[in-house]
């Protein structure tokens, strides 16, 4: 086993089990690019401040870039007993350029280094997630534009409630996903602050120029307390929480996809390329993408809870427990990046059964409220019209018919104020088209909303 950089005060080598247990290289190696980026900026600043020579800084930069190139070409692999990616790269650098490599870590600790790497990594990945989420928002916005007058039942308690349109249904998710996007963006912008210069916990006596390093790394500023800079991982928790809320929305939509694609609803037909079959039952076509999305929501919640619990009892500042933050954060990132592309593809390719949606909207007495409102306009108080409409629904159920199919004579048995104009008042089109308030289902209202996206 290679000699540890910190072995000066030790008399024995680390036990193999401890070394394996302690090592984060198997998972933190994915932050190699951010680690190198941070080290290049740090060493350039050390030279600018006269802390190391320009020649050393140049050698460090060249060495680090050659390490990056070799990792990316596969020439350099991570099969090493190094403690973490930071040690791995520093050891490799010193092997390549000698003494100059040993000057890189001046005025820096792995504590501020790892906090920086995680922040940079999170910001990079958040941009990818936002791009994937934008594709989903765009996909459902396009679908909504196609379905401004596709009527469907709106539900409460999963019971048919009032008629809406499929476009109106989709705008609910457009709104949710837009808020998710904002939350992810806000989490990334709060993460985009440099902790370098915090040292191990108490800053450093070297005259570092923290601001210029942050600038070079494209970060918006520097952390304002060295203890906080190394001790907190709230940026990871905030991101995981934003993604958890996004997953909650995706999961609700998935639940509806699963229901709507069933033979009981038949609102959706999933594309063959986005569904799966059964090894035993030849007729099956399963909504696996939606089910997995629903399942992976639990997984992301688990990561969020892990992060919260890992951090909750830690005395300031750095504690090794915090190394565990990385795997949960990475799992959140990998999961959401795995979820979004097939989910968007599934939405984009499925067939919307307009006919079945409309039949369901007609079949569920979803116009009963509008019938009550019609009688209000004839001068009867709403509480009474609610009862009249309810009795008419009951009559229809007994006689196996629907409100709009009743004859005027049948209507008049319940209220002699009902006239010919009732049919227009309770038609699906009227029920939807009259709901023109901002946020309502009327096609013009929804179109205006979509045109502003
Ligand atoms: N691999 C470590 C982590 O992820 C890096 C920081 C180590 N710092 C220390 N004081 N041992 O947390």
């Amino acid at each position: 086993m290679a000699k540890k950089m910190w072995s000066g005060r030790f008399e024995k080598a680390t036990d193999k089990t401890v070394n394996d247990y302690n090592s984060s290289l198997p998972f933190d190696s994915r932050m190699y690019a951010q680690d190198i980026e941070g080290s290049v900026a740090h060493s350039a600043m050390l030279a600018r401040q006269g802390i190391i020579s320009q020649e050393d800084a140049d050698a460090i930069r060249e060495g680090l870039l050659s390490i990056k190139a070799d990792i990316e070409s596969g020439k350099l692999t991570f099969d090493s007993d190094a403690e973490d990616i930071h040690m791995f790269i520093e050891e490799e650098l010193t092997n390549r350029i000698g003494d100059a490599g040993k000057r890189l870590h001046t005025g820096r600790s792995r504590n501020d280094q790892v906090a920086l790497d995680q922040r940079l990594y999170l910001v990079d990945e958040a941009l990818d997630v936002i791009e994937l989420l934008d594709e989903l928002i765009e996909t459902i916005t396009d679908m909504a534009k196609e379905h401004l007058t596709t009527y469907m039942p709106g539900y409460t308690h999963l019971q048919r409630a009032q008629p809406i349109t499929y476009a109106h249904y989709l705008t609910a998710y457009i709104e949710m996903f837009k808020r998710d996007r904002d939350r992810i963006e806000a989490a990334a912008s709060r993460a985009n602050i440099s902790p370098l210069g915090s040292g191990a916990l108490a800053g450093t006596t070297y005259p570092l120029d923290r601001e210029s390093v942050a600038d070079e790394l494209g970060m918006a500023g520097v952390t304002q307390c060295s203890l906080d800079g190394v001790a907190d991982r709230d940026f990871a928790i905030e991101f995981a929480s934003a993604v958890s809320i996004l997953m909650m929305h995706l999961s609700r939509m998935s639940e509806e996809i699963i229901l709507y694609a069933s033979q009981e609803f038949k609102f959706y037909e999933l594309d063959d390329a986005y569904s799966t079959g059964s090894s035993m039952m030849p007729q099956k076509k399963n909504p696996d993408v939606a089910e997995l999305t629903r399942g992976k929501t639990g997984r992301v919640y688990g990561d969020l809870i892990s992060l919260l619990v890992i951090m909750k009892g830690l005395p300031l500042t750095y504690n090794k427990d915090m190394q565990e933050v990385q795997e949960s954060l990475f799992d959140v990132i990998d999961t959401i990046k795995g979820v979004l592309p097939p989910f968007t593809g599934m939405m984009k390719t499925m067939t919307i059964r307009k006919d079945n949606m409309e039949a369901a909207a007609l079949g569920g007495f979803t116009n009963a409220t509008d019938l009550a409102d019609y009688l209000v306009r004839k001068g009867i108080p709403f509480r009474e019209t609610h009862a009249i409409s309810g009795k008419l629904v009951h009559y229809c159920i007994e006689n196996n018919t629907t409100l709009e199919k009743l004859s005027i004579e049948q209507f008049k048995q319940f209220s002699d104020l009902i006239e010919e104009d009732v049919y227009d008042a309770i038609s699906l089109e009227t029920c939807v088209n009259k709901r023109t308030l901002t946020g309502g289902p009327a096609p013009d209202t929804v179109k205006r909303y979509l045109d502003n996206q």
Side-chain angles (χ1 to χ4, degrees):
M1 207 179 297
K3 206 162 158 213
K4 298 281 182 218
M5 284 182 185
W6 36 254
S7 64
R9 61 100 68 217
F10 288 80
E11 288 187 347
K12 281 187 181 173
T14 317
D15 186 85
K16 165 107 177 68
T17 59
V18 174
N19 200 67
D20 293 348
Y21 185 54
N22 206 29
S23 175
S24 49
L25 189 60
F27 51 87
D28 67 11
S29 55
R30 64 159 79 196
M31 300 191 299
Y32 75 88
Q34 289 75 18
D35 197 73
I36 287 173
E37 197 189 343
S39 291
V40 168
H42 177 68
S43 54
M45 178 275 293
L46 290 178
R48 281 200 301 280
Q49 298 299 100
I51 302 167
I52 64 171
S53 69
Q54 189 57 50
E55 297 78 70
D56 281 350
D58 292 343
I60 290 171
R61 183 190 156 81
E62 289 311 304
L64 287 170
L65 295 182
S66 75
I67 291 173
K68 184 165 185 235
D70 289 352
I71 291 173
E72 281 164 4
S73 71
K75 215 161 115 191
L76 179 61
T77 55
F78 298 112
D79 52 1
S80 144
D81 60 12
E83 204 173 304
D84 51 33
I85 186 64
H86 327 294
M87 292 292 205
F88 175 85
I89 289 176
E90 200 182 319
E91 276 164 20
E92 185 61 29
L93 180 68
T94 305
N95 289 342
R96 292 186 184 204
I97 67 166
D99 272 0
K102 298 183 186 162
R103 300 209 167 90
L104 164 63
H105 210 51
T106 315
R108 193 177 66 171
S109 158
R110 272 185 300 154
N111 294 354
D112 54 359
Q113 187 179 358
V114 70
L116 174 78
D117 291 3
Q118 283 176 38
R119 285 168 179 267
L120 289 173
Y121 187 80
L122 189 156
V123 171
D124 286 348
E125 295 292 327
L127 291 178
D128 283 359
V129 173
I130 287 172
E131 204 172 298
L132 294 172
L133 184 53
D134 279 344
E135 278 166 36
L136 174 60
I137 294 172
E138 208 182 297
T139 297
I140 61 177
T141 304
D142 289 345
M143 290 168 75
K145 286 179 180 163
E146 299 286 303
H147 290 283
L148 287 168
T149 56
T150 300
Y151 300 102
M152 69 181 282
Y155 296 87
T156 61
H157 313 269
L158 199 57
Q159 303 287 324
R160 292 174 192 168
Q162 289 182 330
I164 56 170
T165 67
Y166 186 54
H168 189 230
Y169 164 85
L170 289 173
T171 60
Y173 283 101
I174 296 172
E175 284 289 286
M176 294 179 225
F177 293 143
K178 276 172 53 189
R179 288 195 298 274
D180 291 324
R181 187 191 194 284
D182 285 352
R183 271 185 284 266
I184 292 171
E185 214 163 46
S189 73
R190 250 188 293 280
N192 199 25
I193 302 289
S194 172
L196 275 193
S198 301
L201 76 160
T204 167
T205 55
Y206 292 101
L208 305 185
D209 180 355
R210 300 188 61 205
E211 285 74 13
S212 76
V213 175
D215 234 34
E216 203 168 319
L217 293 171
M219 302 183 98
V222 299
T223 53
Q224 296 297 307
C225 171
S226 61
L227 306 176
D228 175 50
V230 295
D232 211 351
R233 296 291 184 268
D234 56 354
F235 57 89
I237 297 174
E238 193 176 349
F239 176 78
S241 140
V243 175
S244 293
I245 299 174
L246 165 59
M247 289 298 304
M248 178 269 291
H249 291 147
L250 288 166
S251 186
R252 292 184 77 172
M253 199 174 199
S254 294
E255 173 66 15
E256 285 160 351
I257 291 165
I258 295 159
L259 286 170
Y260 292 176
S262 71
Q263 290 306 301
E264 283 66 22
F265 275 83
K266 286 194 196 151
F267 289 178
Y268 290 162
E269 273 166 25
L270 297 182
D271 192 80
D272 278 1
Y274 286 87
S275 26
T276 54
S278 155
S279 55
M280 186 178 182
M281 299 165 283
Q283 85 283 12
K284 289 298 287 294
K285 183 167 167 185
N286 295 329
D288 283 20
V289 173
E291 289 172 89
L292 266 176
T293 303
R294 194 175 53 182
K296 286 190 188 288
T297 303
R299 176 182 179 130
V300 172
Y301 291 0
D303 291 326
L304 171 62
I305 296 299
S306 296
L307 289 168
L308 288 165
V309 179
I310 289 164
M311 296 302 295
K312 76 180 258 297
L314 301 186
L316 297 189
T317 53
Y318 177 81
N319 300 268
K320 191 73 176 205
D321 317 42
M322 287 153 68
Q323 184 165 282
E324 288 290 304
V325 164
Q326 298 183 33
E327 282 179 288
S328 299
L329 173 62
F330 297 157
D331 194 63
V332 170
I333 293 168
D334 293 345
T335 305
I336 188 63
K337 285 176 79 176
V339 163
L340 286 168
F343 191 91
T344 301
M346 167 180 63
M347 291 303 297
K348 205 179 266 182
T349 54
M350 68 192 190
T351 306
I352 310 302
R353 290 294 301 267
K354 209 174 150 136
D355 50 345
N356 292 334
M357 283 184 173
E358 287 193 12
L362 281 169
F365 303 105
T366 58
N367 49 3
T369 313
D370 288 81
L371 177 58
D373 288 342
Y374 165 84
L375 287 167
V376 167
R377 289 196 296 277
K378 301 275 171 184
I380 310 174
F382 181 74
R383 275 294 154 238
E384 280 173 40
T385 68
H386 183 285
I388 297 168
S389 180
K391 283 190 187 122
L392 274 156
V393 167
H394 183 75
Y395 176 84
C396 287
I397 293 169
E398 301 268 276
N399 293 281
N400 195 23
T401 182
T402 57
L403 291 170
E404 59 284 349
K405 286 193 192 134
L406 296 178
S407 69
I408 209 71
E409 291 70 38
Q410 286 172 307
F411 271 125
K412 283 200 184 288
Q413 289 171 27
F414 294 83
S415 168
D416 53 13
L417 289 175
I418 299 180
E419 291 163 73
E420 274 298 327
D421 56 355
V422 71
Y423 297 105
D424 183 48
I426 65 169
S427 78
L428 218 46
E429 289 77 8
T430 308
C431 293
V432 170
N433 297 359
K434 281 216 167 146
R435 290 181 155 76
T436 55
L437 292 185
T438 302
D444 284 347
T445 308
V446 176
K447 184 174 185 311
R448 212 175 315 121
Y449 167 85
L450 294 170
D451 287 345
N452 285 331
Q453 295 309 298

